[in-house]
Amino acid sequence: MTFDLSPLLVEDAVRAALAEDLGRAGDVTTQATIPAGAGAKVVIAAREAGVVAGLPLARAAFAFLDPNVGFEAWVADGATVAPGEIVARIEGSARAVLSAERVALNYLGRLSGVASLTALYAARISHTKAKVCDTRKTTPLMRAFEKYAVRCGGGANHRFGLDDAVLIKDNHIAVAGGVIPALRAAKAYVGHLTKIEIEVDTLDQLGEVLTEGADAVLLDNMRPDDLRRAVEMIGDRMVCEASGGATLDTIVAIAETGVDLISVGALTHSARVLDLGLDIGIS
Amino acid sequence: MTFDLSPLLVEDAVRAALAEDLGRAGDVTTQATIPAGAGAKVVIAAREAGVVAGLPLARAAFAFLDPNVGFEAWVADGATVAPGEIVARIEGSARAVLSAERVALNYLGRLSGVASLTALYAARISHTKAKVCDTRKTTPLMRAFEKYAVRCGGGANHRFGLDDAVLIKDNHIAVAGGVIPALRAAKAYVGHLTKIEIEVDTLDQLGEVLTEGADAVLLDNMRPDDLRRAVEMIGDRMVCEASGGATLDTIVAIAETGVDLISVGALTHSARVLDLGLDIGIS
Amino acid sequence: MTFDLSPLLVEDAVRAALAEDLGRAGDVTTQATIPAGAGAKVVIAAREAGVVAGLPLARAAFAFLDPNVGFEAWVADGATVAPGEIVARIEGSARAVLSAERVALNYLGRLSGVASLTALYAARISHTKAKVCDTRKTTPLMRAFEKYAVRCGGGANHRFGLDDAVLIKDNHIAVAGGVIPALRAAKAYVGHLTKIEIEVDTLDQLGEVLTEGADAVLLDNMRPDDLRRAVEMIGDRMVCEASGGATLDTIVAIAETGVDLISVGALTHSARVLDLGLDIGIS
Amino acid sequence: MTFDLSPLLVEDAVRAALAEDLGRAGDVTTQATIPAGAGAKVVIAAREAGVVAGLPLARAAFAFLDPNVGFEAWVADGATVAPGEIVARIEGSARAVLSAERVALNYLGRLSGVASLTALYAARISHTKAKVCDTRKTTPLMRAFEKYAVRCGGGANHRFGLDDAVLIKDNHIAVAGGVIPALRAAKAYVGHLTKIEIEVDTLDQLGEVLTEGADAVLLDNMRPDDLRRAVEMIGDRMVCEASGGATLDTIVAIAETGVDLISVGALTHSARVLDLGLDIGIS
Amino acid sequence: MTFDLSPLLVEDAVRAALAEDLGRAGDVTTQATIPAGAGAKVVIAAREAGVVAGLPLARAAFAFLDPNVGFEAWVADGATVAPGEIVARIEGSARAVLSAERVALNYLGRLSGVASLTALYAARISHTKAKVCDTRKTTPLMRAFEKYAVRCGGGANHRFGLDDAVLIKDNHIAVAGGVIPALRAAKAYVGHLTKIEIEVDTLDQLGEVLTEGADAVLLDNMRPDDLRRAVEMIGDRMVCEASGGATLDTIVAIAETGVDLISVGALTHSARVLDLGLDIGIS
Amino acid sequence: MTFDLSPLLVEDAVRAALAEDLGRAGDVTTQATIPAGAGAKVVIAAREAGVVAGLPLARAAFAFLDPNVGFEAWVADGATVAPGEIVARIEGSARAVLSAERVALNYLGRLSGVASLTALYAARISHTKAKVCDTRKTTPLMRAFEKYAVRCGGGANHRFGLDDAVLIKDNHIAVAGGVIPALRAAKAYVGHLTKIEIEVDTLDQLGEVLTEGADAVLLDNMRPDDLRRAVEMIGDRMVCEASGGATLDTIVAIAETGVDLISVGALTHSARVLDLGLDIGIS
């Protein structure tokens, strides 16, 4: 499977990040010390093992400052790399390469960090049918990219925003007057291509959901025993997601209960950056 | 000391993040299940100990969707909070509060995470004169906020972009033909209110820097012995920054060499989110 | 049921439309002939029967040019109005009211036109279980508003964009190698909160869809006989949408086949504006 | 005569429309089912007779998603096409073509609809000296394009906004204290390159306009008899526009009174889309 | 007569200028040295005689950083002020006032400079019927404001852009094949509310213009003798503008030839700033 | 030394300026009179002596409207040109060249005007060690370009905004409680790469600054005698800037006191445009 990023989102994001870094006066160090005509050949290499994500953003960063830059990806997004492995080779204006370096690495390192952490979670539960999935706990203005990185790391995507699916939570249930009125209100409101998921805390609530019907149910903070019982109750009538408390340590037990999905906020809110370096030779 | 964030940056960022989350159709769940007139009283509370940063962004998120919202911060940015401690109390339209919740918490959690990690580093070296400082390894489009969070956590800020200070690195030195020509090129290029820092790998290079003069020197990846010798050579002639390899484990040894600053990319590139929750009562 | 529009979308759209109309020099006629201090009391009234939609946009147009304007809606979006019936009463600066009039009416008239046409279709088939629904054949940059108007008129919304649901069409099927591989590719690609609909031209294709499973099926350009047979085959296993050829004349026969939804591009691509007028008294 | 559209307006509009359709996750259907390397050869063909307008916008939509796309227009904007006639041929990445299709057709269909309706009106009155012209009753954010489409259909353009010409209406006259003070205020206010038109309801008012002088007069909702008398009074002293009540049925009688222009809001506010289809062959 | 500026243009421009000045880190000096709660009372006073223009922009600059600021204009735009005269009094947050000061004064000083220079030209020719007018030689992104300042100084506005009037210059005439074909092409192209002016270098060309007709003629770089003859030829058949070579020294002779307008690029391209100062008392 | 402008800033600025000039309807004169296929060869030439600045902006203006335009600069930014000397040669679509001409010349003329005035000041004091430098009294939204022009003219740049350096002025000192507390507050607030300058009015204040230390001192409105004494007091302990009252007449006496820098607001706030013309031959 290939992974895709809208070129419009990539361009807007990279341009904004370059503007953030270049400010009003531009890269004063490079302008002072590097001749306008100098060229550079560069490699981006992994300094630790991980999964790469974000190459289109890195490519765009260099291309904005040198439209004729050569950018050769040696691996594709989603590839696992070993320490020292070359990720991409760039050739172009030395000024452009040096000025774009940080923006390129900031995107690539962050997204590869998300992909790498996702891959770690995914590996733990690969013997089960469960998949790890992301949440809306993403970095502001980075959601499309972070969710792409989750796919690169072998995870699944939850909804992209408040508008592309219904997720009825405890507060909605409380105001709506219960599980059944909340589900009915949602069904009356949305079109036929919008899915409806509902959060439950107890097996009693789950019973109500099964009576009324929904596309998916989120089992919130249940212990493995209850999860297992919930899975049995649900059968194949709806998708079943476990949420809350999943860490690299606990996820195996959760996955083995038979749930379909395990959502993990940490994939996007607490991933470390993947250590990538740019080694430059000025030509 | 108080900390400041440009209201223009806050507004632009929060508006963009809300647009990202609300998409074209808005918060369909809330619209379906929460009556337009319902009110909500909410608290944001810490679920673990840490340092708070980002309250102006959280406030703005709620205010965009309900201009009459009441937002009372119970602590200020930079305050240390205990698990369970209330950070802010919000009262307003239930729809607005529920729809803005995730954007508010995404900013507040991330920035508090940066502040908390910074505070951890700062605490380790509080017996020395060294301060921990940030880098340009920030999240794209979040730099001003992440650097603010570093200040809230007791750290210092390095430059904000490529344009507000010169930082001559190894590649610049190589092309410019050495430390001395690079420093001279920089001095000739920039105005009198732009500082110049230069990276050195060896004590020999440091000697050249001391001969030519600069505002600051970055001692890159030197071991404590060499750092100590460098500190002696420098005296009080320029600011002296250690860079590379600083972790919570190694930073004490680095700080005790007498350097002024220790830059730590992890403050912004590898901070976990601080766990904060919003507890809601619909009125 | 109430209907909602994101205030962020409303503000951005109305501001852009005002900028389009005011240009560089502003409303030169009004500036030349109306004193800065004059006030105006105005009503917007329907000049023909229809369903109103777009009041938040009209309100915003006046409020941008006079933040203290009074705007009283006498009916709510979704209301049916008779010829001559007052829709809203506005009181404020005469200059602001005259300068914003056209933008306010352009939005209100267009969206009321969409709502009114939708209501016409909906009325024809109200004795059946079928609902009329919109398409992506919307005016560029007006989609969220036009889909809102469809809801105001009693219609249902299809997907909002290419990203919030899968709709596999004939070309996708052709390249993917058939109905079944296309459905499998889609299921493998999207998350659990993204629905999948597939277009079929024949009952044979429908059989394949029923074998493989999907959330909805679009029966493209089928005659009532085939639609009826398709409805029987489908039972309640998936949502069933008829598409193609629905006009005010033909829609009854389509609806009586038992389909759930009938999509009608004309709702948004060929609605006439609803005739609304602004009657002004300068105070 | 050739027709022109500012490339800046085209780019901004098409990019915004693509962003509206692609959302955060892009065209998930196409990404799931169409291989990244597949090519497509496509024709856009008319499914009914009409006048084409908007080809530069359609071209731009495809080019944004595939910079190397080949787009060959087989007719020019302003051309009359027969049912089945090919309008353009496109060759490029299958993913790009499928993802851009709807935006391209939404622009092309809408603008061709405006051009076609304009051509219908123009044809009715081609035996007179009158021309049909548009109004400011345009779709928000589409004005430049819709007015371009009116030109493609053989119509004339009225002013583009509130700032490029003066149009004194009844309310302005009422506040300014009559036709003569209103005209004098306008002449004192604007520069020598801004034209002044004034609306009159009666022949008495027209007399005052002729006394004071103006560039054009709008005869509002007058019956043919009065229009004829007005035309006689005016002679060739100013341009004379009839406004109000012009339909395909009534326009001949209005045109035969000898007026120069007949403005018709319906050209832009009530045109149906022209039915155009895209037929694809994946290569 | 009052003068007007679109509030939308004012807001966008002032916000962009504040962003330009505040950068990423904001006003670091003020944040470091002025307590968050301190108030300030300030006056803006003229340090030399001149005509004021731009108060709405100055007001907006302060209001962006302190929504509760009090801004009292003591004179109106267009007023003549003496050295030392107070222009406005501002009271609000000391931080906001100090941070917005430069943006407010940059707009106010520049626009007052344009108004003052215009007033100087206007005074020289007040005994004639001629008016001084501006050109498109304006500062990029400041045109609407600079043209407003010209009106404040007693001058007239030429067209605002390439699109709101036709101005046929020598190159257009050359390509079109002469004065008459150029005028005919223009008349065929534009609507009835677009004026047409044409530049002529000789009295022969003027003869052709008078034959074919136009709304205005620009007499380019003619000496007073020729201007006088041209004025006689034209009579009151069209507006007559002299262009080229007008300085404070030469303008009287030009005006006394009887032309209607004298365009002076220097009004906007070579005005000095009016010296205005902000005197502050921190409360 | 070469001078640099961020390509991102150039593109955004030129695009906005073209949009300002082209409005909604585009260059109606050119569209009416110049055939779509006509080519043009053009030179931009100096009509008076001066220093050129802004060629990248001029190039961008033409390239936006004709991506295939040929733009050959015959001199570089910073070059001195004689009257009549050719600055650049442009070849491309006649429509594009004529439509972009004014935007290109508006940028080029203004920035060359700034560079030329700077060069005049610089020449006066070339026998001293002093350099002339700019201020923040720049045209809103033109700061980066005007400061670039100052460099092209041989001047130095002061800070670019409120955030890239500290400049403590009299009001800051007053509120902070004196020179020493103000300096200490600033040092505590900013990072190690932010310079601190402080304004003093008296030699007593200067003494305090020398005691506490700073990077630079601004000697405000001091007479040459006091400046000389100040220079002696300062020695080489900090950079020393004279501000206030510098004109082409007075600057020699100021420079000969031995100060390092003389800031002159007039460089950017009162430069006349450099007279440049575009001579066209349609091919």
Side-chain angles (χ1 to χ4, degrees), chain D residues 114-130:
Chain D
V114 170
S116 301
L117 183 58
T118 303
L120 229 56
Y121 275 91
R124 294 282 166 98
I125 61 174
S126 61
H127 63 295
T128 71
K129 73 165 183 182

Side-chain angles (χ1 to χ4, degrees), chain E residues 51 112-122 153 248 266-268 270-272:
Chain E
V51 174
S112 299
V114 169
S116 301
L117 183 57
T118 304
L120 229 57
Y121 275 92
L248 283 170
L267 298 187
T268 55
S270 294
R272 277 190 319 101

Side-chain angles (χ1 to χ4, degrees), chain D residues 195, chain E residues 166 168 179-188 190 194-200 205-217 234 237-239:
Chain D
K195 284 207 174 171
Chain E
V166 169
I168 302 172
V179 160
I180 287 172
L183 280 171
R184 289 188 181 156
K187 289 177 185 175
V190 300
T194 303
K195 283 207 174 170
I196 297 174
E197 180 168 1
I198 183 163
E199 174 186 314
V200 300
Q205 280 184 313
L206 175 59
E208 292 183 89
V209 172
L210 290 168
T211 305
E212 174 59 31
D215 294 295
V217 65
I234 295 166
R237 281 188 286 169
M238 55 186 74
V239 170

Side-chain angles (χ1 to χ4, degrees), chain F residues 40-251:
Chain F
K41 293 179 186 175
V42 165
V43 292
I44 296 178
R47 298 204 170 138
E48 60 178 325
V51 173
V52 171
L55 286 164
L57 291 137
R59 178 196 304 269
F62 294 108
F64 261 117
L65 299 190
D66 176 4
N68 300 316
V69 78
F71 184 100
E72 260 174 49
W74 286 25
V75 299
D77 275 358
T80 302
V81 288
E85 190 170 341
I86 289 178
V87 170
R89 200 180 163 292
I90 300 115
E91 179 162 6
S93 142
R95 285 188 171 184
V97 168
L98 286 168
S99 296
E101 168 187 356
R102 188 74 264 138
V103 166
L105 290 182
N106 280 353
Y107 275 116
L108 196 59
R110 264 167 178 67
L111 297 181
S112 299
V114 170
S116 301
L117 184 57
T118 303
L120 229 54
Y121 274 91
R124 295 281 165 98
I125 60 173
S126 61
H127 62 296
T128 70
K129 73 166 183 182
K131 296 199 76 171
V132 61
C133 82
D134 53 34
T135 65
R136 281 173 44 250
K137 296 178 180 175
T138 52
T139 311
L141 312 188
M142 294 276 280
R143 186 170 292 166
F145 304 133
E146 291 183 341
K147 287 192 170 257
Y148 167 81
V150 166
R151 291 200 300 279
C152 291
N157 288 332
H158 213 287
R159 59 179 178 164
F160 271 68
L162 291 163
D163 67 326
D164 60 336
V166 169
L167 179 48
I168 303 173
K169 298 192 185 171
D170 48 1
N171 291 313
H172 301 108
I173 293 172
V175 180
V179 160
I180 288 172
L183 281 171
R184 287 187 184 156
K187 289 176 185 176
Y189 188 84
V190 301
H192 72 290
L193 285 186
T194 303
K195 284 207 174 170
I196 296 174
E197 181 167 1
I198 183 162
E199 174 185 314
V200 299
D201 300 316
T202 66
L203 298 181
D204 283 356
Q205 280 184 313
L206 176 58
E208 292 184 271
V209 171
L210 290 168
T211 304
E212 174 59 30
D215 294 297
V217 64
L218 181 155
L219 305 166
D220 191 41
N221 274 315
M222 286 190 186
R223 284 176 315 174
D225 276 2
D226 279 349
L227 285 177
R228 209 176 316 266
R229 234 164 290 140
V231 167
E232 274 164 33
M233 287 171 69
I234 295 164
D236 57 2
R237 281 188 283 170
M238 56 186 71
V239 170
C240 154
E241 172 188 353
S243 177
T247 65
L248 283 171
D249 291 334
T250 62
I251 197 165

Side-chain angles (χ1 to χ4, degrees), chain D residues 79-280:
Chain D
T80 301
V81 288
E85 189 170 342
I86 289 179
V87 170
R89 199 181 163 291
I90 301 117
E91 178 163 7
S93 143
R95 284 189 171 184
V97 168
L98 286 169
S99 295
E101 169 186 356
R102 188 74 265 139
V103 166
L105 290 182
N106 279 353
Y107 275 117
L108 197 59
R110 263 167 178 68
L111 298 180
S112 299
V114 170
S116 301
L117 183 58
T118 303
L120 229 56
Y121 275 91
R124 294 282 166 98
I125 61 174
S126 61
H127 63 295
T128 71
K129 73 165 183 182
K131 296 198 77 170
V132 63
C133 83
D134 53 34
T135 65
R136 282 171 46 250
K137 296 179 181 175
T138 52
T139 311
L141 312 188
M142 295 277 281
R143 186 171 291 166
F145 305 133
E146 290 183 342
K147 287 193 170 258
Y148 166 82
V150 166
R151 292 200 299 280
C152 292
N157 288 332
H158 213 286
R159 60 180 178 163
F160 270 68
L162 291 164
D163 67 326
D164 61 335
V166 170
L167 178 50
I168 303 172
K169 299 192 184 171
D170 49 1
N171 291 312
H172 301 109
I173 293 173
V175 180
V179 159
I180 288 173
L183 280 171
R184 288 185 183 160
K187 289 176 184 176
Y189 187 84
V190 301
H192 72 292
L193 286 186
T194 304
K195 284 207 174 171
I196 297 174
E197 179 167 2
I198 184 163
E199 174 185 316
V200 299
D201 300 317
T202 65
L203 298 180
D204 283 356
Q205 280 184 314
L206 176 59
E208 291 183 88
V209 171
L210 290 168
T211 305
E212 175 58 31
D215 294 296
V217 64
L218 182 155
L219 307 165
D220 191 41
N221 273 315
M222 288 189 184
R223 287 176 313 175
D225 278 3
D226 279 348
L227 284 177
R228 208 176 316 267
R229 232 164 291 140
V231 167
E232 275 163 32
M233 286 170 68
I234 294 165
D236 58 3
R237 280 189 285 171
M238 56 187 72
V239 170
C240 153
E241 171 188 354
S243 178
T247 64
L248 283 171
D249 292 334
T250 61
I251 197 164
V252 175
I254 298 172
E256 290 178 348
T257 64
V259 296
D260 299 303
L261 288 163
I262 304 167
S263 55
V264 180
L267 299 187
T268 56
H269 74 50
S270 294
R272 279 190 318 99
V273 88
L274 186 74
D275 195 4
L276 296 158
L278 183 145
D279 298 309
I280 194 161

Side-chain angles (χ1 to χ4, degrees), chain C residues 188-206:
Chain C
Y189 188 84
V190 301
H192 71 291
L193 287 186
T194 303
K195 283 206 175 172
I196 297 174
E197 180 167 1
I198 185 163
E199 174 185 316
V200 299
D201 300 316
T202 65
L203 298 181
D204 283 356
Q205 280 184 313
L206 175 59

